[in-house]
């Protein structure tokens, strides 16, 4: 008997902190970041089918071989020798591209959702390996919550959970491919000793990150603000509207702002209505526990 259709949320992330330390010999960059899942989410519906069919309500999202959901299905099919298909529908709410990990989150949730749909057990290690093949931000979406990450962004270390209830995300309509953002940074090649000592400093910054006192840093801001001044304007506007902190997420274009109260957040949201080309989302943090709870339907198919 085939599994009944089911839906899973696919949450967005932001980066509380993002340092790009230098270029590695494999062409990727060594990072130090703190990821956070937030309540903005796509919804992915899974149903049994003989063929593989991916549909979406968003006209700009490709559903072919470049979509991370399609690629996740291919990887899992190869690993488990599955011959069944799947009918998947993606309700897109997370702006893409936008530095909020929308596509990466979809890829991770697809891996887990398809394990349930096809009733195949997958080891956590296999899942992490497939996730890393899909992209550098994908493995984070296996855990969610607040998490430190280094390496390509796929090696995790624990940091204290951050809870913020009043966050406004603004996404100006700019499209910055991630690869290009890394290129324009022009980081030099890392030697092994550099990498170790800078990483130590970065991890310490990540571990002691405090959303009241610390300065939030995203190394992409300077260069991306030069290419797309509209993103800089969004950040400045959010700070003018009394955000406690504001920072670009990932390689942009989204900027998030943390407010001290619901009133301040609502008043900023209202004042921003005049910016009709910016998409705006009121969100809160999603803790690791909540994230795990949202993935409960797939838990029995994932082995330690
Ligand atoms: O891993 P992902 O496919 O998301 O990365 C897209 C591009 O961003 C890579 O091809 C690479 O050019 C760049 N990148 C990088 N270092 C990272 C992550 C991504 O240089 N840690």
């Amino acid at each position: 008997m085939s599994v009944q259709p089911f839906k899973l949320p696919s949450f967005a992330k932001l980066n509380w902190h993002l340092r790009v330390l230098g270029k590695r010999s494999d062409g990727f960059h060594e990072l130090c970041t703190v990821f956070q899942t937030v309540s903005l989410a796509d919804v992915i519906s899974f149903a049994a089918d003989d063929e593989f069919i991916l549909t979406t309500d968003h006209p700009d999202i490709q559903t072919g071989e470049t979509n991370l959901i399609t690629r996740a299905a291919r990887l899992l099919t190869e690993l488990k020798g599955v011959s069944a298909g799947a009918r998947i529908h993606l309700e897109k709410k997370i702006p893409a591209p936008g530095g909020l990990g929308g596509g990466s989150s979809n890829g991770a949730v697809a891996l887990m959702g398809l394990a349930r749909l096809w009733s195949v057990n997958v080891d956590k290690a296999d899942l992490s390996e497939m996730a890393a093949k899909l992209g550098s931000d994908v493995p984070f979406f296996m855990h969610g919550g607040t998490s430190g990450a280094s390496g390509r962004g796929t090696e995790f270390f624990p940091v204290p959970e951050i809870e913020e209830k009043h966050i406004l995300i603004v996404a100006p309509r700019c499209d910055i491919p991630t690869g290009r953002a890394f290129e324009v940074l022009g980081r030099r090649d890392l030697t092994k000793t550099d990498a170790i000592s800078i990483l130590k400093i970065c991890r310490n910054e990540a571990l002691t990150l405090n959303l009241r006192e610390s300065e939030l840093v995203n190394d992409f801001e300077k260069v991306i603000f030069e290419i797309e001044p509209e993103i800089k304007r969004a950040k400045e506007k959010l700070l003018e509207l009394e955000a406690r902190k504001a920072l670009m997420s990932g390689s942009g274009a989204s900027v998030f702002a943390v407010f001290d109260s619901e009133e301040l957040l609502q008043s900023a949201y209202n004042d921003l209505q005049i910016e009709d080309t910016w998409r705006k989302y009121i969100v809160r943090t999603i803790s690791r526990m909540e994230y795990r709870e949202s993935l409960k339907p797939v838990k029995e198919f994932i082995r330690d």
Side-chain angles (χ1 to χ4, degrees), residues 187-232:
R187 284 289 190 262
R188 66 185 175 87
D189 293 344
L190 277 182
T191 65
K192 231 186 173 89
T193 37
D194 286 341
I196 294 166
S197 67
I198 314 176
L199 189 60
K200 222 166 142 186
I201 301 168
C202 274
R203 280 198 178 208
N204 195 42
E205 280 177 4
L207 278 163
T208 53
L209 190 71
N210 173 321
L211 284 200
R212 299 220 160 257
E213 280 139 40
S214 319
E215 187 201 348
L216 301 187
V217 179
N218 178 340
D219 280 347
F220 281 112
E221 275 193 344
K222 194 165 173 282
V223 286
I224 299 295
F225 284 178
E226 277 167 25
I227 304 172
E228 298 283 4
E230 188 69 350
I231 308 177
K232 183 178 186 205

Side-chain angles (χ1 to χ4, degrees), residues 27-29 31 134-137 151-153 178-179 182:
F28 280 92
H29 288 75
L31 308 179
L134 291 177
S136 306
D137 284 352
R152 254 174 78 200
T178 313
F182 277 101

Side-chain angles (χ1 to χ4, degrees), residues 20 22-24 26-31 68 71 104 131-138 150-154 177-183 220 251:
V20 184
K23 216 166 173 185
R24 305 167 11 151
D26 63 2
F28 280 92
H29 288 75
E30 189 75 17
L31 308 179
L68 289 184
R71 289 180 49 205
S104 303
K133 275 189 192 159
L134 291 177
S136 306
D137 284 352
V138 183
S150 60
R152 254 174 78 200
T154 60
T178 313
R180 170 142 190 267
F182 277 101
E183 245 169 61
F220 281 112
S251 55

Side-chain angles (χ1 to χ4, degrees), residues 24-287:
R24 305 167 11 151
S25 52
D26 63 2
F28 280 92
H29 288 75
E30 189 75 17
L31 308 179
C32 180
T33 189
V34 177
F35 285 118
Q36 174 70 56
T37 36
V38 292
S39 55
L40 174 63
D42 296 338
V43 178
I44 309 184
S45 313
F46 298 84
D49 207 287
D50 294 335
E51 287 173 62
F52 181 81
I53 305 156
L54 172 62
T55 55
T56 175
D57 62 352
H58 198 295
D60 300 339
I61 301 285
Q62 304 272 344
T63 53
E65 294 298 322
T66 53
N67 191 297
L68 289 184
I69 298 177
T70 310
R71 289 180 49 205
R74 297 269 176 270
L75 284 179
L76 195 62
T77 307
E78 279 162 27
L79 180 78
K80 292 290 167 184
V82 179
S83 58
R87 191 156 24 91
I88 301 182
H89 182 70
L90 170 64
E91 278 170 58
K92 200 76 198 154
K93 300 272 180 342
I94 307 172
L100 299 174
S104 303
S105 171
N106 295 166
V109 171
L111 282 174
M112 296 184 276
L114 286 168
R116 176 187 158 123
L117 187 73
W118 292 334
S119 301
V120 290
N121 290 318
V122 199
D123 297 337
K124 275 193 178 147
D126 285 337
L127 266 182
S128 300
E129 206 181 307
M130 285 187 286
K133 275 189 192 159
L134 291 177
S136 306
D137 284 352
V138 183
F140 164 67
F141 290 101
M142 298 291 158
H143 334 282
T146 315
S147 183
S150 60
R152 254 174 78 200
T154 60
E155 289 156 36
F156 300 99
F157 58 94
V159 292
E161 185 102 32
I162 293 175
E163 187 190 357
E164 288 291 343
K165 293 194 175 73
H166 313 299
I167 303 173
L168 179 57
I169 295 176
V170 166
R173 293 191 186 272
C174 313
D175 178 359
I176 309 138
T178 313
R180 170 142 190 267
F182 277 101
E183 245 169 61
V184 294
L185 264 183
R187 284 289 190 262
R188 66 185 175 87
D189 293 344
L190 277 182
T191 65
K192 231 186 173 89
T193 37
D194 286 341
I196 294 166
S197 67
I198 314 176
L199 189 60
K200 222 166 142 186
I201 301 168
C202 274
R203 280 198 178 208
N204 195 42
E205 280 177 4
L207 278 163
T208 53
L209 190 71
N210 173 321
L211 284 200
R212 299 220 160 257
E213 280 139 40
S214 319
E215 187 201 348
L216 301 187
V217 179
N218 178 340
D219 280 347
F220 281 112
E221 275 193 344
K222 194 165 173 282
V223 286
I224 299 295
F225 284 178
E226 277 167 25
I227 304 172
E228 298 283 4
E230 188 69 350
I231 308 177
K232 183 178 186 205
R233 194 169 75 81
K235 176 171 172 174
E236 287 169 353
K237 191 83 192 241
L238 286 160
L239 288 170
E240 255 170 51
L241 293 171
E242 291 186 65
R244 187 201 321 147
K245 300 280 174 189
L247 192 75
M248 188 176 80
S249 183
S251 55
S254 303
V255 178
F256 64 84
V258 181
F259 289 86
D260 280 332
S261 69
E262 182 63 31
E263 290 70 33
L264 283 173
L265 167 67
Q266 276 301 337
S267 140
Y269 183 79
N270 295 341
D271 285 356
L272 285 181
Q273 290 317 307
I274 174 172
E275 300 288 353
D276 52 8
T277 61
W278 296 355
R279 291 151 296 171
K280 305 153 202 92
Y281 309 91
I282 291 178
V283 304
R284 63 176 178 82
T285 51
I286 294 287
S287 69

